[in-house]
Amino acid sequence: MASLIRFRQLWSPSFSVWNRNNSVTTPLLQFSSAKLSYSITATHASASASASATTHVGVVTQAKNDKERGKPLRVALLCGGPSAERGISLNSARSLLDHIQGPDLILSCYYIDSDFNAYAISPAQLYSNTPADFDFKLQSLAQRFKSLHEFVHHLAMAVDIVFPVIHGRFGEDGGIQELLEKANVPFVGTSSEYCRQAFDKYNASLALKRLGFATVPSCLVEGREIDKKVVIEWFESVDLHTGNGKVVVKPTRAGSSIGVEVAYGVDDAIRKALNIISQGIDEKVLIELFLEGGKEFTSIVLDVGPAADSRPVALLPTEVELQFSHEKDKQEDTIFNYRRKYLPTQQVVYHTPPRFPTDVIERIREGSSLLFRKLNLKDFARIDGWFLPNPVPGIDSNHTFGTTDSGTIVFTDINLISGMEQTSFLFQQASKVGFSHSHILRTILQHACLRFPSLASCIDEWHALSRKLEVKGCGKLSSNNKKSDRQKVLVLFGGATSERHVSLMSGTNVWLNLKGFDDLDVIPCLLVPADGYGSVQNQNIDDVDWSWEVWTLPYSLVLRHTTEEVYAACIEAIEPDQAVKTSRLRDKVMGELGENLNKHTWFEGFDIVDELPAKYSLEQWVELAKESKATVFNAVHGGIGEDGTLQLMLELENVPYTGPGPVASRTCIDKVVTSQALTNLVGSGVLTIPKDVWSTERILETPISTVWDDLITILRSETVCVKPARDGCSTGVARLCSIEDLQVYLNAVRSRLPRLQANSFSRAHGVIEMPIPAPKLLVFEPFIETDEIVISSRSLSDGSRSLSWSGENEWVEVTVGVIGKHGEMHSFNPSITVKESGDILSLEEKFQGGTGINLTPPPPTIISAEALKNCKKGIEAIAASLGLEGFSRIDAFVSVETGEVLVIEVNTVPGMTPSTVLIHQALAEEPPIYPRQFFRKILDLALVRTKYSSQISFR
């Protein structure tokens, strides 16, 4: 296969394509190194790090003096940790940072790595996607503490209270809590003693049984030498077939989803238990009876009582429904695993409240609250369990709690620090009963302060400061500012492409960030096919003349993982019987909460109004935008959101919108046309990749050997990359190394598989989400070989991490954001994309928080300053040539020697999720642009956009 070094020798400067179808916020803790520059291997703290530490100490000293004068509360946000859930911890920390900070609260950020090294980090650094994104940069960017003892001593002097969001080991097992207790540092959440009891699933089950709750039969195994006889005896004791009896195997001391697998029979159960142990997840493993026919639920519990009196109230629980859109899905684990929990997928649907009988819902709430109190939990927690409509053999009937007329309730897992991602169960359930993200987090924090006498006396002063700042409009949404006085913003997301779920993530993030501005009235809107999603999987999106509708959404209906789920929630919400049931349950919960919270002087009621969604045709919605003088923030990836259709509709009605205009959008959505449009830039250091285009219909009818021979001949490469011609950048992209790989891919297209499982091809790769609806055209390109970039997973002796890169192939893959007015687009510093598994970035690595590595800006030992300058110049030339405006993202390969750019594709509606690389690049600007200001800048550009294409009509 031709490497990129030989690329210019093999291909003439002119573009070459074969088309067989004749269609071608101001940081409160300001670090001097917030620009996030770094060296490859940081062995000692640099001068900038020293300056950072000095700045940090200065802020802390000032904060301490302010506190003595009744000034803002000082809160430490603590994230990271040694468990596999530390990436999720970063997501939670980002969410907390977004929603809890304000002028009345000084928030300092701290990170603990996998080796228990503690660091003070900047808020900018917290937005890095994964621990690997900045672990190896910590020595030059952060203040490292010599020991955990020094760290907690610092906290005792520097902050008033700690809000730990470390999930799993050390965060929920009592580890960090014990350190804080010994140093007399107040913190949010349960004490170390009761964390230890509740976190260990085996010990927790014993405690539940003693309290009279129904429990799941289980067998505890430990160590690397598991006694098979003991496991056989347990299988027989619960009437399970030793050869294929279905069980769940999970670590006893990990999060609620790490390492959890289904096993069949004794041998499989032991093998998977040993796998958990060998991976170092846990040395104690539970083998549990699989609750066949059960319905899983999760319940958030909030303590609302006075300091010395626990009065827990369970919010409206959530039912977790697993769905299978394809027979292949049924062969996978039938459990709510890590991937289903944290990545948008149609395999899981949430229902809040559950679709259970009312007596079951009330019994779940009662049991959750009772457990919270009996287990001595504090402030908040999440309790998981199962509702069993029918008797399950093996479940002990000798219990005092759990039986209802409709079935049995079994509680299984206690989560001491529930996840706090933007659409997590905490926020889903809280919004159903009147709490915004900010309000629920501040309520938890304020309640925690009540438990510490030194803070309880300051609550009223802190609240008075908060009210004073709110009246002045200092960073909080003032209730005195009427909606009619604010600029209306319609955030549109959804659609029918394979990236519609990522669009939901993007739109949700934009909506939540823009809601923080006092002068904006921001309304989330879902774009869906007029007949729903029932026929989407059976259509080619390019062949369908879609008619569309838009739903304006109330707060609680936005917080879902998929567009189908939001749409179903809209239909359910306006169904009379369900609406009445939900309203009654919500009123009951709000009554219980209000009865206790209203006794606290700092509680001023709920801030989410109960509303119903409203439906419009797309044309009616555009007219609504025009009449209300709204600006549309477009977050619809692919389809009409990115091909110029929506842009033209809005321009014809003079409705401002974000992103490029119709012409640029229609050009960039098509990867072939994009390349053709850039052939004039060869002299400016911009190259394009040759392409071979096939219609899906024809390629499925052509002998596979003919297709493969043609591909490797035309593209002059033994390895090819395949992708949809007019889809987003994250689905259906695969590396094919043989005719057998091509056959696997085409079989998936023919069978309309929702995904290809990891390692389906000859080379290792992660899960590949396939485009649904099926694409009309497939594009094949030479696979571009780049050198592997490796970031060490373990720290060196001095606590630093290293990065290695051989540099043999000269080229690296980058992604670059551009922002600005038409003709004046500015290139951010590129990010080098690092693939953690396989040859193609997976959907998780692009969009799921806690995964994926981006080096922002590129290390100078990989790309020289001169090459970087030329690269940015080439990127800006691309933006100008394509007529981009507002903001976009350009993916490319870059020569580390010359800065020449080899274009992959251009995204005019790029991902805007909390972990998107564009946020990293904005933070690397000087001065840093924080997410809220970044989205506001994009919005403001929409108001001054040049309407140069308003008269263009599309065929």
Side-chain angles (χ1 to χ4, degrees):
M1 184 190 69
S3 72
L4 267 174
I5 293 179
R6 298 177 56 220
F7 181 83
R8 287 185 294 274
Q9 299 172 342
L10 289 174
W11 292 97
S12 62
S14 60
F15 171 76
S16 177
V17 60
W18 285 68
N19 188 334
R20 301 176 182 278
N21 308 284
N22 298 318
S23 62
V24 264
T25 199
T26 302
L28 294 174
L29 181 65
Q30 182 64 59
F31 278 63
S32 63
S33 54
K35 194 175 179 180
L36 304 185
S37 60
Y38 49 85
S39 60
I40 290 291
T41 305
T43 55
H44 300 285
S46 67
S48 62
S50 300
S52 297
T54 302
T55 305
H56 171 67
V57 172
V59 171
V60 165
T61 303
Q62 181 61 45
K64 186 174 181 66
N65 294 334
D66 287 345
K67 182 63 184 172
E68 293 169 354
R69 298 195 298 267
K71 294 295 184 180
L73 186 74
R74 302 166 300 160
V75 180
L77 173 56
L78 183 56
C79 63
S83 85
E85 287 189 288
R86 59 185 175 275
I88 304 304
S89 172
L90 278 178
N91 299 343
S92 294
R94 277 194 296 263
S95 186
L96 201 148
L97 179 65
D98 283 342
H99 299 295
I100 205 172
Q101 64 179 333
D104 57 332
L105 184 152
I106 294 179
L107 193 64
S108 303
C109 303
Y110 301 91
Y111 174 74
I112 294 178
D113 69 12
S114 57
D115 296 320
F116 297 95
N117 298 307
Y119 298 85
I121 63 175
S122 73
Q125 197 171 352
L126 189 58
Y127 287 97
S128 292
N129 194 16
T130 69
D133 262 341
F134 63 80
D135 271 0
F136 76 100
K137 299 179 254 179
L138 284 169
Q139 290 300 307
S140 61
L141 289 179
Q143 174 191 355
R144 182 188 176 194
F145 297 93
K146 295 178 181 178
S147 64
L148 288 176
H149 174 75
E150 182 187 61
F151 172 53
V152 295
H153 178 72
H154 161 82
L155 293 177
M157 300 297 294
V159 304
D160 298 310
I161 190 168
V162 172
F163 202 134
V165 288
I166 297 177
H167 303 307
R169 191 159 58 97
F170 192 63
E172 295 182 83
D173 63 2
I176 187 62
Q177 290 82 0
E178 184 175 5
L179 289 175
L180 295 173
E181 287 165 351
K182 289 180 177 179
N184 294 316
V185 178
F187 60 88
V188 176
T190 302
S191 68
S192 62
E193 176 186 356
Y194 296 108
C195 277
R196 280 191 291 271
Q197 174 181 277
F199 183 68
D200 187 303
K201 295 180 177 64
Y202 182 69
N203 290 340
S205 67
L206 295 179
L208 264 63
K209 195 167 187 177
R210 288 194 299 269
L211 292 170
F213 285 82
T215 57
V216 183
S218 63
C219 174
L220 179 67
V221 296
E222 300 182 68
R224 298 180 181 274
E225 298 293 332
I226 295 177
D227 190 336
K228 184 174 180 179
K229 182 180 179 182
V230 171
V231 180
I232 291 174
E233 290 175 351
W234 178 80
F235 264 71
E236 293 173 343
S237 71
V238 291
D239 296 325
L240 279 178
H241 191 282
T242 56
N244 59 13
K246 194 174 181 180
V247 294
V248 176
V249 182
K250 59 186 179 183
T252 63
R253 296 167 299 185
S256 58
S257 55
I258 294 293
V260 182
E261 291 193 76
V262 170
Y264 297 87
V266 170
D267 291 340
D268 192 31
I270 291 175
R271 179 177 63 83
K272 288 177 176 174
L274 288 173
N275 187 48
I276 291 172
I277 295 169
S278 65
Q279 289 183 59
I281 297 174
D282 197 0
E283 47 197 37
K284 294 171 60 180
V285 178
L286 273 182
I287 302 174
E288 285 186 346
L289 180 72
F290 186 92
L291 300 178
E292 201 73 61
K295 300 178 183 293
E296 192 169 1
F297 67 81
T298 187
S299 177
I300 297 291
V301 184
L302 192 67
D303 192 356
V304 293
D309 184 11
S310 176
R311 295 183 185 176
V313 173
L315 308 184
L316 286 179
T318 298
E319 175 191 357
V320 179
E321 178 193 10
L322 295 184
Q323 292 186 333
F324 306 103
S325 59
H326 197 278
E327 187 65 30
K328 183 75 173 177
D329 292 341
K330 297 181 181 180
Q331 301 171 17
E332 300 176 19
D333 292 346
T334 49
I335 55 174
F336 187 41
N337 59 20
Y338 186 84
R339 191 171 194 273
R340 291 189 177 113
K341 180 175 290 188
Y342 295 115
L343 183 70
T345 170
Q346 291 176 251
Q347 292 178 282
V348 63
V349 177
Y350 302 134
H351 303 276
T352 309
R355 301 166 303 169
F356 303 161
T358 301
D359 67 315
V360 173
I361 295 174
E362 285 304 318
R363 196 66 167 157
I364 289 172
R365 294 188 60 242
E366 180 185 350
S368 301
S369 298
L370 181 61
L371 276 179
F372 189 98
R373 187 167 58 250
K374 291 291 187 180
L375 295 177
N376 291 290
L377 309 185
K378 301 297 180 185
D379 301 325
F380 78 119
R382 194 185 87 232
I383 300 176
D384 301 337
W386 292 77
F387 166 53
L388 310 174
N390 303 307
V392 174
I395 296 291
D396 186 5
S397 59
N398 185 25
H399 54 260
T400 57
F401 189 94
T403 301
T404 72
D405 293 338
S406 305
T408 304
I409 297 167
V410 181
F411 294 100
T412 56
D413 292 285
I414 314 296
N415 298 274
L416 287 311
I417 302 177
S418 179
M420 283 171 266
E421 290 188 297
Q422 288 184 342
T423 58
S424 67
F425 294 125
L426 172 65
F427 299 126
Q428 285 185 32
Q429 296 182 24
S431 65
K432 275 291 185 183
V433 293
F435 288 104
S436 67
H437 286 64
S438 176
H439 198 22
I440 188 65
L441 291 173
R442 283 176 171 254
T443 296
I444 291 169
L445 178 62
Q446 287 162 318
H447 183 271
C449 289
L450 292 177
R451 294 188 288 106
F452 302 95
S454 62
L455 297 179
S457 60
C458 302
I459 285 287
D460 287 340
E461 291 182 6
W462 178 45
H463 179 59
L465 174 63
S466 175
R467 291 293 300 139
K468 181 180 179 181
L469 292 171
E470 183 177 347
V471 170
K472 290 182 178 180
C474 297
K476 297 182 68 178
L477 187 61
S478 172
S479 58
N480 296 325
N481 193 347
K482 297 179 181 179
K483 284 189 175 183
S484 60
D485 298 331
R486 297 185 241 155
Q487 168 67 43
K488 191 176 292 294
V489 179
L490 305 179
V491 180
L492 184 67
F493 47 84
T497 73
S498 53
E499 286 193 296
R500 58 188 178 273
H501 309 314
V502 176
S503 172
L504 172 60
M505 294 170 65
S506 293
T508 300
N509 190 41
V510 170
W511 164 62
L512 287 171
N513 272 280
L514 292 181
K515 275 179 63 65
F517 288 98
D518 187 60
D519 61 333
L520 301 179
D521 176 20
V522 190
I523 301 171
C525 305
L526 176 71
L527 175 71
V528 297
D531 60 349
Y533 286 103
S535 62
V536 167
Q537 293 192 19
N538 300 317
Q539 300 287 347
N540 286 321
I541 193 166
D542 296 324
D543 292 337
V544 179
D545 183 18
W546 297 96
S547 57
W548 299 92
E549 61 189 27
V550 178
W551 291 75
T552 57
L553 306 173
Y555 198 113
S556 64
L557 291 193
V558 185
L559 307 179
R560 299 293 191 275
H561 281 180
T562 68
T563 52
E564 281 84 340
E565 196 180 334
V566 177
Y567 176 71
C570 288
I571 300 299
E572 185 178 88
I574 61 175
E575 198 279 319
D577 291 343
Q578 182 62 37
V580 170
K581 177 183 177 181
T582 300
S583 180
R584 287 175 177 170
L585 288 168
R586 179 176 52 246
D587 290 347
K588 187 175 190 303
V589 176
M590 293 178 72
E592 294 174 13
L593 290 166
E595 179 182 357
N596 291 282
L597 287 173
N598 285 326
K599 297 175 182 177
H600 302 299
T601 57
W602 44 262
F603 184 73
E604 295 185 334
F606 303 99
D607 62 341
I608 298 295
V609 178
D610 180 25
E611 297 175 327
L612 293 176
K615 180 177 71 173
Y616 304 88
S617 69
L618 178 57
E619 293 73 17
Q620 289 173 331
W621 180 81
V622 172
E623 185 63 28
L624 174 68
K626 179 180 179 180
E627 291 176 356
S628 60
K629 298 180 179 179
T631 300
V632 173
F633 200 116
N634 179 21
V636 179
H637 302 313
I640 71 166
E642 206 164 350
D643 68 4
T645 302
L646 179 65
Q647 289 81 359
L648 185 62
M649 290 181 67
L650 295 171
E651 284 207 356
L652 291 175
E653 297 299 330
N654 292 316
V655 176
Y657 60 90
T658 57
V663 174
S665 297
R666 189 177 187 184
T667 298
C668 296
I669 190 66
D670 192 309
K671 298 175 178 67
V672 175
V673 176
T674 301
S675 292
Q676 291 175 323
L678 296 174
T679 55
N680 64 311
L681 295 180
V682 172
S684 301
V686 175
L687 307 172
T688 55
I689 304 175
K691 295 172 171 58
D692 193 10
V693 183
W694 288 72
S695 73
T696 303
E697 181 181 2
R698 184 178 178 196
I699 200 171
L700 293 176
E701 294 174 349
T702 305
I704 191 73
S705 59
T706 301
V707 175
W708 183 252
D709 289 343
D710 281 3
L711 286 175
I712 62 176
T713 300
I714 296 301
L715 299 176
R716 307 185 195 180
S717 174
E718 296 294 328
T719 306
V720 299
C721 181
V722 60
K723 60 185 71 172
R726 292 172 56 86
D727 208 334
C729 60
S730 60
T731 53
V733 183
R735 179 181 185 178
L736 309 178
C737 300
S738 65
I739 190 172
E740 290 77 18
D741 287 350
L742 177 61
Q743 186 69 68
V744 170
Y745 188 89
L746 294 182
N747 286 343
V749 172
R750 179 183 289 109
S751 303
R752 300 182 186 275
L753 293 182
R755 65 195 59 81
L756 277 167
Q757 296 306 310
N759 304 321
S760 296
F761 299 130
S762 56
R763 286 179 61 96
H765 64 86
V767 174
I768 299 174
E769 296 290 331
M770 293 298 290
I772 296 178
K776 185 177 181 180
L777 298 175
L778 291 173
V779 172
F780 295 87
E781 302 171 343
F783 181 81
I784 307 301
E785 195 78 62
T786 59
D787 292 319
E788 184 178 16
I789 298 174
V790 178
I791 298 174
S792 66
S793 59
R794 303 296 296 178
S795 64
L796 304 177
S797 59
D798 61 357
S800 67
R801 276 150 170 89
S802 65
L803 181 152
S804 62
W805 174 71
S806 64
E808 294 177 2
N809 278 308
E810 181 189 338
W811 297 75
V812 293
E813 185 176 350
V814 301
T815 186
V816 195
V818 289
I819 190 168
K821 300 178 183 179
H822 181 255
E824 302 176 14
M825 296 295 281
H826 164 70
S827 171
F828 286 147
N829 275 310
S831 298
I832 296 180
T833 56
V834 180
K835 296 176 283 291
E836 294 186 276
S837 61
D839 301 298
I840 304 292
L841 283 176
S842 66
L843 182 66
E844 288 97 329
E845 289 172 317
K846 281 178 178 286
F847 298 113
Q848 179 185 348
T851 60
I853 302 171
N854 296 290
L855 307 181
T856 310
T861 51
I862 294 182
I863 300 182
S864 67
E866 185 64 23
L868 184 61
K869 179 181 177 181
N870 291 337
C871 168
K872 294 174 69 174
K873 184 178 178 180
I875 293 295
E876 290 172 353
I878 293 170
S881 182
L882 295 174
L884 302 182
E885 59 183 309
F887 80 122
S888 296
R889 194 190 77 230
I890 299 172
D891 297 336
F893 296 100
V894 171
S895 168
V896 299
E897 299 295 331
T898 67
E900 286 178 296
V901 177
L902 180 60
V903 179
I904 300 173
E905 62 188 23
V906 178
N907 297 276
T908 55
V909 184
M912 292 167 277
T913 68
S915 55
T916 181
V917 71
L918 292 185
I919 287 179
H920 306 177
Q921 294 176 9
L923 287 164
E925 290 290 288
E926 187 61 59
I929 306 172
Y930 280 74
R932 185 169 295 179
Q933 284 69 40
F934 176 60
F935 293 125
R936 181 59 187 259
K937 185 177 181 67
I938 294 169
L939 182 69
D940 291 342
L941 283 168
L943 296 172
V944 297
R945 67 180 298 114
T946 303
K947 296 181 174 61
Y948 65 95
S949 58
S950 61
Q951 301 304 314
I952 295 177
S953 61
F954 280 68
R955 292 197 304 268

